């Protein structure tokens, strides 16, 4: 089973405006409300590949009810902790420059955190636990570490996808996979990341700090993968018409963990294809979108 944790899930209100006029009344050309959050995105991609997944985290109020309803409609299992307040609404604006306005979300208590930790006791050897996204107010910067401590002795493979000190704090607990982008990696290793060589060097630094596998996403340039076996892989850019980059990094994780049993290179291939496919479609990728790209994705071993 692939479990995902989204501590601060959302309803994403996506709007399209040809040209945003500040200080004026703007009319949307298209709009859609859908469930959002990094872990939830991973669950949707995992489910698209036919793998069983369960979404965990905190939900609140009528917006939280809608998050759960939409996930059940997508045939995704849920086991959220219900808290006081309202789950957030994020505005994703596709206009002259792709812009996001993210809500704050509910405040969680220590009792709420304790309830979430208890839910992790159901995980078993061989399960995956994907921890990704921002931490809500009250969650504490150590919440990911607390979750890892809860499952680390059970043979659970933990994936961590977050930023800064919150991520660095988890490295001593040896996460199975981390997936920084170039900006995040630059901040983590205090070095500008501009090439595959830079990405691999930075990934090795994080691996030396405790991460087992590291994927670095380089946007339009592709990705690099430093595996715990010592193998190095790169994925060169695949060209296409980008509709939206929202959820692309989460799709990389979804494709990777869904196919890891097939081998690390195959998992990286499917991760890269999933991330690229999401960029080229409206929403998150489906199997058919990924299959169209598999023969176009070039994954090679680095010298």
């Amino acid at each position: 089973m692939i479990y995902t944790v989204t501590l601060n899930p959302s309803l994403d209100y996506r709007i399209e405006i040809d040209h945003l006029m500040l200080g004026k009344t703007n009319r949307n050309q298209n709009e859609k409300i859908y469930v959002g959050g990094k872990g939830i995105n991973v669950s949707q991609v995992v489910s698209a590949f036919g793998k069983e997944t369960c979404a965990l985290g905190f939900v609140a109020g009528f917006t939280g009810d809608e998050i759960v309803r939409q996930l059940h409609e997508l045939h995704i299992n849920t086991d959220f902790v219900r808290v006081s307040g309202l789950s957030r609404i994020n505005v994703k604006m596709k206009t002259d420059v792709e812009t996001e306005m993210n809500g704050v979300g509910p405040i969680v208590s220590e009792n709420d955190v304790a309830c979430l930790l208890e839910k992790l006791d159901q995980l078993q050897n061989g399960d995956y636990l994907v921890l990704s996204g921002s931490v809500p107010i009250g969650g504490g910067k150590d919440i990911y570490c607390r979750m890892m401590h809860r499952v680390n002795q059970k043979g659970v493979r933990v994936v961590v996808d977050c930023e800064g000190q919150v991520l660095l704090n988890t490295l001593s607990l040896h996460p199975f996979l981390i997936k920084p982008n170039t900006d995040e990696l630059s901040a983590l290793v205090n070095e500008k990341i501009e090439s595959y060589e830079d990405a691999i060097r930075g990934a090795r630094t994080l691996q030396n700090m405790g991460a087992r596998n590291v994927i670095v996403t380089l946007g339009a340039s592709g990705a690099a993968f430093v595996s715990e076996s010592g193998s190095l892989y790169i994925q060169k850019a695949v060209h296409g018409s980008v509709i939206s980059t929202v959820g692309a990094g989460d799709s990389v994780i979804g494709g990777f963990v869904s196919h890891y049993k097939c081998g690390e290179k195959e998992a990286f291939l499917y991760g890269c294809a999933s991330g690229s496919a999401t960029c080229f479609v409206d929403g998150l990728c489906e199997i058919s979108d990924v299959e169209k790209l598999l023969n176009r994705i070039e994954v090679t071993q680095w010298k």
Side-chain angles (χ1 to χ4, degrees):
M1 171 81 86
I2 298 172
Y3 293 85
T4 64
V5 172
T6 308
L7 296 174
N8 205 5
S10 63
L11 290 178
D12 288 353
Y13 179 44
R14 189 190 66 195
I15 59 178
E16 294 183 20
I17 301 172
D18 286 339
H19 175 63
L20 179 64
M21 299 178 291
L22 296 178
K24 305 279 187 177
T25 298
N26 296 271
R27 303 292 181 184
N28 299 342
Q29 274 71 55
N30 290 293
E31 57 187 11
K32 180 181 179 182
I33 297 177
Y34 57 95
V35 62
K38 293 179 68 61
I40 284 173
N41 291 341
V42 174
S43 276
Q44 289 187 69
V45 173
V46 167
S47 180
F49 282 115
K51 307 294 183 180
E52 192 172 8
T53 182
C54 181
L56 308 173
F58 302 114
V59 292
F62 75 94
T63 46
D65 293 340
E66 179 62 12
I67 289 169
V68 173
R69 187 196 70 77
Q70 288 197 25
L71 287 173
H72 289 172
E73 197 171 70
L74 294 168
H75 307 292
I76 293 173
N77 301 313
T78 64
D79 194 11
F80 288 102
V81 176
R82 292 191 172 271
V83 301
S84 300
L86 288 174
S87 291
R88 60 187 178 151
I89 297 175
N90 295 335
V91 179
K92 312 288 186 179
M93 186 182 304
K94 188 172 178 60
T95 181
D96 312 84
V97 178
E98 195 170 291
T99 303
E100 298 184 18
M101 292 171 282
N102 291 344
V104 176
I107 299 173
V108 301
S109 67
E110 179 56 33
N111 185 60
D112 297 328
V113 173
C115 289
L116 179 58
L117 292 173
E118 287 180 7
K119 290 182 181 293
L120 300 181
D121 292 341
Q122 65 188 296
L123 275 67
Q124 301 175 0
N125 181 43
D127 287 339
Y128 289 86
L129 177 64
V130 180
L131 310 175
S132 57
S134 61
V135 177
I137 298 171
K141 291 185 177 180
D142 65 341
I143 187 169
Y144 283 159
C145 290
R146 294 174 69 182
M147 286 190 279
M148 292 179 72
H149 277 297
R150 193 89 178 196
V151 302
N152 257 3
Q153 301 305 313
K154 302 176 72 171
V156 174
R157 291 170 171 160
V158 181
V159 179
V160 181
D161 185 19
C162 58
E163 300 180 27
Q165 193 61 46
V166 177
L167 174 60
L168 289 175
N169 290 343
T170 70
L171 297 184
S172 62
L173 297 172
H174 306 293
F176 170 73
L177 173 69
I178 61 174
K179 188 213 62 61
N181 60 33
T182 51
D183 289 340
E184 292 163 348
L185 182 58
S186 294
L188 291 168
V189 301
N190 196 28
E191 180 182 331
K192 197 164 186 179
I193 305 299
E194 297 181 315
S195 65
Y196 296 122
E197 292 92 338
D198 295 341
I200 289 172
R201 184 171 58 253
R204 278 176 161 163
T205 297
L206 298 182
Q207 199 175 51
N208 290 335
M209 295 172 69
R212 292 167 57 188
N213 297 283
V214 184
I215 294 175
V216 182
T217 52
L218 294 95
S221 297
F225 175 34
V226 178
S227 78
E228 64 180 328
S229 71
S231 297
L232 309 174
Y233 300 97
I234 62 167
Q235 176 250 319
K236 296 184 178 179
V238 57
H239 299 290
S241 179
V242 175
I243 295 177
S244 174
T245 60
V246 174
D250 308 320
S251 300
V252 171
I253 292 175
F256 184 92
V257 298
S258 296
H259 294 85
Y260 191 74
K261 286 185 177 180
C262 302
E264 60 186 22
K265 183 177 181 180
E266 188 82 353
F268 183 51
L269 170 65
Y270 270 89
C272 294
S274 299
S276 297
T278 287
C279 291
F280 301 153
V281 298
D282 183 15
L284 297 170
C285 63
E286 298 289 345
I287 291 181
S288 58
D289 303 315
V290 176
E291 289 176 341
K292 290 175 184 176
L293 288 182
L294 286 175
N295 291 332
R296 295 174 52 200
I297 296 285
E298 183 181 357
V299 169
T300 57
Q301 196 147 6
W302 188 249
K303 53 189 175 182

